[in-house]
Amino acid sequence: MICFLTKDLMMSSNASSHAREKKVKFKTATSAEKAIEIIEADRPHLLLIDLQTPGLNVEAFGTEIKGLADAVCPLTIAYAQHVHVELLEQAKTAGFDQVMTRGQVNSRIANIIAAA
């Protein structure tokens, strides 16, 4: 199962279609609070995080994810547009498993989902 924290309909739709193709359960969260609810209820294997989600506090969300029990904590892949260098650095500091640019995620989304 994959949880995707984003308000970007294009990225979400693209990821969702790849998940359907691979028969992987997929849920979208539009807020950090909703993502945590999904993680606790459904225990996804992967959490995709759009760092540019409006209202997202990257550091606080990273701390909250780290505070989850190991059995509940999914692999985390966070991304933002390459011009948001500071935001990408915040994500690295927050401790997400992988930090990529939006272009990297977009070009690798099929493989990312297949691996999940």
Side-chain angles (χ1 to χ4, degrees):
M1 195 256 176
I2 297 170
C3 178
F4 192 174
L5 171 58
T6 188
K7 286 190 177 182
D8 183 331
L9 296 177
M10 196 157 72
M11 287 291 284
S12 176
S13 177
N14 186 26
S16 175
S17 70
H18 285 290
R20 270 193 308 279
E21 225 175 76
K22 298 291 183 190
K23 297 181 179 14
V24 175
K25 190 175 176 187
F26 183 92
K27 287 190 178 180
T28 302
T30 57
S31 69
E33 295 78 17
K34 183 63 178 171
I36 294 296
E37 286 177 25
I38 291 170
I39 292 166
E40 292 177 336
D42 297 316
R43 296 187 179 195
H45 300 317
L46 173 63
L47 172 62
L48 290 170
I49 306 154
D50 178 351
L51 297 169
Q52 293 173 255
T53 302
L56 179 64
N57 180 321
V58 174
E59 293 166 3
F61 188 59
T63 299
E64 196 165 1
I65 294 295
K66 282 190 233 174
L68 296 172
D70 287 341
V72 177
C73 192
L75 171 70
T76 53
I77 299 177
Y79 73 90
Q81 291 174 324
H82 69 280
V83 296
H84 293 282
V85 177
E86 187 175 304
L87 194 54
L88 293 166
E89 286 302 318
Q90 283 178 6
K92 289 176 186 174
T93 302
F96 296 116
D97 297 313
Q98 294 179 40
V99 178
M100 299 180 180
T101 65
R102 178 186 166 112
Q104 289 173 316
V105 169
N106 197 36
S107 68
R108 299 177 189 170
I109 194 69
N111 293 334
I112 290 169
I113 288 172

